[in-house]
Amino acid sequence: MLRAVVAVVLASALLAASLPGIELAARERSEATLTAEADRLRTAIVDLRQRESAVGSGAGARRVVAVELPARSRTAAGEATLALGGVPGQVRSDGQSAVDLAWQVGDETVTTRRLPGSQVVHYPDGRVRDEPLVIESPGSHRIALTRIEHDGETLIGVRRLPEV
């Protein structure tokens, strides 16, 4: 009987000691996944900017990129946010954003990237929006990237495509 009690106490202590490490590893894996997705978006945006001409309105050259936000699991923290064209919760007052890509896992610090060249803007219905495109739900999301002309500037318009 005493052996069983000691075994249970020891197992509980080992579990309690390992849980913070498991949670940290899950957060780091989610962060690595979002960083990889942001790098894929960056590559597509740079390729679009370098290879295609801008369009004033209507359909033009575009790239479609599928991004995957991790779902909560034993190996991923979940609660991930990815934004294009600014930081989630911040509205641009001057039509400009210092951030093209932003992502966050849980309540950790927001990681941001500014891309050289064309600015990234939310362009869902043929007009530039002041707020970024924010993706929060886990799973696969298709994002359309279009090089556009707006007020004399060359921008990269982003919008979410419906799932097929």
Side-chain angles (χ1 to χ4, degrees), residues 20-148:
I22 292 170
E23 290 176 10
L24 177 63
R27 282 191 181 278
E28 287 177 355
R29 179 166 181 198
S30 292
E31 179 71 27
T33 299
L34 285 176
T35 301
E37 294 298 328
D39 286 345
R40 287 182 51 245
L41 281 167
R42 180 194 158 288
T43 300
I45 289 167
V46 168
D47 181 65
L48 178 66
R49 190 191 66 204
Q50 291 176 347
R51 295 179 187 251
E52 303 296 343
S53 298
V55 296
S57 62
R62 73 177 187 173
R63 301 283 188 279
V64 176
V65 180
V67 296
E68 183 84 24
L69 265 62
R72 183 159 183 74
S73 68
R74 284 185 272 172
T75 59
E79 300 172 6
T81 302
L82 176 66
L84 294 96
V87 177
Q90 293 183 4
V91 176
R92 300 175 318 190
S93 59
D94 61 354
Q96 297 281 331
S97 174
V99 173
D100 291 316
L101 297 170
W103 61 94
Q104 180 180 23
V105 176
D107 56 359
E108 298 292 318
T109 305
V110 176
T111 304
T112 61
R113 293 286 185 273
R114 177 75 173 135
L115 304 179
S118 304
Q119 181 181 352
V120 175
V121 295
H122 190 186
Y123 192 69
D125 50 7
R127 62 186 171 97
V128 175
R129 296 276 181 97
D130 287 334
E131 72 275 352
L133 169 61
V134 179
I135 303 167
E136 296 177 311
S137 60
S140 183
H141 304 272
R142 293 176 355 140
I143 307 298
L145 311 169
T146 306
R147 189 169 178 192
I148 58 174

